[in-house]
Amino acid sequence: MTRSDLVYLLLTCCALIASVFVRSPFPMGDPAIFEYIGHSITRGAHLYTDLWDNKLPSIYYVNALWWLAFGADYRLHALAESAINAGTFALFALIARTLGVTRWAAATLVFALLYLFVGGALDQTEQYATPLILAGILLGLRRQGVLAAVALVAASTFWLPAIVVGIVPLFAIGGRRERLELVLMSIVATMGCAVAFAALFGPSISSELVRSWFSYQAGNYVTADSVQVHRYPFPFLSPRYYIESGLGVMLCMIAIFWTHGRTRALRFTLWWSVATLAIVFALGRPSIHFFLPLYAPLVLVLGLQTLDVHAFLKRWYFSSVAVVCAALMIVFAVRDSRRDFFGTPAAITYTGDLVRDAFGPRVVALLPWEIYLTSDAVPPSRFFLAQGNVKFAKDRDLWVREPTVFVDAADLRFNGVQPPDNLRFVCRNSRTLPYVIHAERPISGISCEHT
């Protein structure tokens, strides 16, 4: 290990520490759902029976573990999640060294910067799946096919396509025996997980989860009103995803330094990149955190190239696009850091405290996800947290508890200003109008008036 390697590793550690302080001190977006369900599990709630979301159970049980270990101290939750990120970077460094990447420490730093500050890697399902994917790939490279299959199937319990992402590159380099062993063990491990899930939750819940997952994926392309979510018919045609995810910069950098040499390591990382990229875009409406598993293979592809400054100048057209993409990515990142769907974390916690003080804990309420954590409220239906499954929920589950309080998301866009005093709403026909509210864009209407 050279002195420069030590410097890069030190910078990686600094980036990891800095990421803890720049994150929101309160869970926002999807992590708020995972935290809420994890907290409910620790208090005796039954997953999929009392509360529903279309993810496999691992993400909720991990959050339940954070609640058992740290209570409501979300800073400690973030530290635990950052420790997982540290393990992710260590696994990436081991893979880079195994593949013979000369600048493995510099590649680790680039991977960490993308992973931490572009992908938003705290308490998303992909954050837990990625280290397991890397562990499976590292074990596969070391001819430990059985353990590799187990790791990839474990990753799939967080992010369903993980096993495909891991198997495809290992197929590209393994011999016939290794391939057969990997496939057989993956099938055995997958069947074992399926049997365990069916035994734990029952065949009815299992089939319901499968239908819900496919309903959600279809909803990524088409809304309940059959209006396309995207401006483009396919996500990979949208420039937005190339810019905001850093994918455009990475692809341009690979094109700048690309050489025609073919090695086993390069073939392996290319297959890995193509498989992951295909999965990400096939899922439809890819959020930025969907790209977390993609940064590792792309950085490795770049790390296997000869980084020559003359190539950067010679292929000026790719260099220009890379600079433009990088500038726009920074602009969008600054913009997004100032954008609040349901208000700032301080406003969220303040509003939740108001709801709890006014109506008491465990009140049945219609709220944005984050406020359930601070108000300790109860949703009126197990399907309330099922984002993207409104039609499925409407067919399967009407209100089982009449809501007492409704907080309109439009009133929460006050960005730190004290929220209005008239938080209580009365909802007409609440038993017949399922809903999911995203800021000012309700997926299905709900008729309310102030009291």
Side-chain angles (χ1 to χ4, degrees):
M1 185 181 297
T2 65
R3 181 178 298 179
S4 62
D5 290 338
L6 291 174
V7 172
Y8 286 125
L9 292 179
L10 179 61
L11 291 173
T12 302
C13 293
C14 291
L16 183 63
I17 294 171
S19 70
V20 177
F21 293 98
V22 301
R23 297 295 175 193
S24 167
F26 187 81
M28 304 290 283
D30 287 351
I33 299 178
F34 306 148
E35 288 273 13
Y36 179 79
I37 294 180
H39 185 207
S40 299
I41 289 173
T42 64
R43 299 192 297 187
H46 297 285
L47 183 59
Y48 305 123
T49 301
D50 299 319
L51 290 169
W52 181 277
D53 194 29
N54 63 352
K55 305 291 191 299
L56 290 175
S58 295
I59 184 66
Y60 312 113
Y61 290 136
V62 166
N63 277 272
L65 176 62
W66 299 155
W67 274 92
L68 289 173
F70 309 118
D73 192 333
Y74 299 110
R75 281 294 184 188
L76 292 180
H77 292 207
L79 286 175
E81 292 152 7
S82 296
I84 292 175
N85 286 344
T88 302
F89 304 150
L91 288 167
F92 175 87
L94 290 172
I95 291 174
R97 297 194 70 173
T98 301
L99 293 174
V101 177
T102 304
R103 298 180 180 86
W104 62 271
T108 302
L109 174 60
V110 173
F111 172 60
L113 292 174
L114 289 169
Y115 198 89
L116 293 170
F117 299 106
V118 179
L122 276 185
D123 208 26
Q124 298 285 358
T125 54
E126 294 83 2
Q127 180 217 352
Y128 300 100
T130 300
L132 290 168
I133 293 172
L134 295 179
I137 285 177
L138 181 62
L139 290 166
L141 289 172
R142 295 182 175 181
R143 298 293 189 268
Q144 300 291 325
V146 175
L147 295 177
V150 171
L152 293 175
V153 172
S156 296
T157 65
F158 288 98
W159 188 54
L160 198 57
I163 190 168
V164 177
V165 169
I167 283 181
V168 168
L170 292 175
F171 249 64
I173 63 167
R176 180 178 299 177
R177 179 180 177 182
E178 287 85 0
R179 293 176 182 177
L180 181 60
E181 182 181 62
L182 186 65
V183 170
L184 290 177
M185 287 310 304
S186 297
I187 292 174
V188 170
T190 301
M191 291 178 62
C193 285
V195 170
F197 186 94
L200 185 62
F201 297 104
S204 176
I205 291 292
S206 302
S207 60
E208 195 173 36
L209 185 64
V210 171
R211 292 197 302 273
S212 174
W213 191 83
F214 281 105
S215 171
Y216 174 76
Q217 297 307 325
N220 280 340
Y221 291 96
V222 180
T223 66
D225 297 323
S226 298
V227 178
Q228 287 192 348
V229 174
H230 306 292
R231 181 180 178 184
Y232 301 90
F234 299 102
F236 61 82
L237 297 179
S238 172
R240 167 191 166 191
Y241 297 120
Y242 292 90
I243 293 172
E244 293 186 352
S245 67
L247 180 59
V249 175
M250 288 301 298
L251 293 178
C252 286
M253 294 297 290
I254 291 171
I256 290 168
F257 299 108
W258 180 260
T259 57
H260 296 290
R262 294 290 188 273
T263 64
R264 175 177 177 270
L266 183 58
R267 183 171 68 253
F268 172 80
T269 52
L270 283 174
W271 274 105
W272 185 1
S273 300
V274 170
T276 312
L277 189 59
I279 287 293
V280 166
F281 281 119
L283 292 176
R285 196 174 57 85
S287 301
I288 299 304
H289 58 86
F290 286 14
F291 291 87
L292 288 173
L294 181 60
Y295 295 134
L298 287 181
V299 172
L300 289 172
V301 170
L302 183 60
L304 289 169
Q305 308 303 315
T306 301
L307 305 183
D308 185 1
V309 68
H310 297 293
F312 196 87
L313 298 174
K314 182 178 179 181
R315 298 177 180 177
W316 58 268
Y317 34 89
F318 286 124
S319 304
S320 301
V321 175
V323 171
V324 171
C325 286
L328 290 174
M329 182 178 66
I330 294 173
V331 169
F332 289 153
V334 173
R335 178 206 64 183
D336 291 342
S337 67
R338 299 178 179 178
R339 175 185 293 176
D340 299 299
F341 279 107
F342 300 136
T344 63
I348 289 294
T349 55
Y350 181 72
T351 304
D353 291 341
L354 286 181
V355 172
R356 183 167 183 163
D357 292 343
F359 301 98
R362 313 301 291 165
V363 63
V364 179
L366 312 181
L367 306 170
W369 308 322
E370 294 87 351
I371 300 182
Y372 278 101
L373 286 174
T374 53
S375 64
D376 194 24
V378 178
S381 161
R382 66 176 181 143
F383 273 104
F384 171 61
L385 299 175
Q387 179 189 9
N389 287 279
V390 178
K391 290 183 66 177
F392 183 78
K394 187 175 181 180
D395 294 337
R396 302 290 298 176
D397 193 52
L398 297 176
W399 301 133
V400 294
R401 296 174 287 268
E402 185 173 358
T404 301
V405 57
F406 171 75
V407 175
D408 185 1
D411 285 342
L412 297 177
R413 297 177 66 88
F414 45 79
N415 295 326
V417 180
Q418 182 170 321
D421 294 329
N422 50 353
L423 286 174
R424 185 182 175 101
F425 287 70
V426 173
C427 301
R428 301 171 180 167
N429 302 321
S430 60
R431 292 185 179 276
T432 58
L433 289 175
Y435 67 95
V436 173
I437 291 179
H438 292 270
E440 295 175 334
R441 295 172 285 118
I443 293 178
S444 59
I446 199 164
S447 175
C448 297
E449 63 180 11
H450 291 272
T451 58

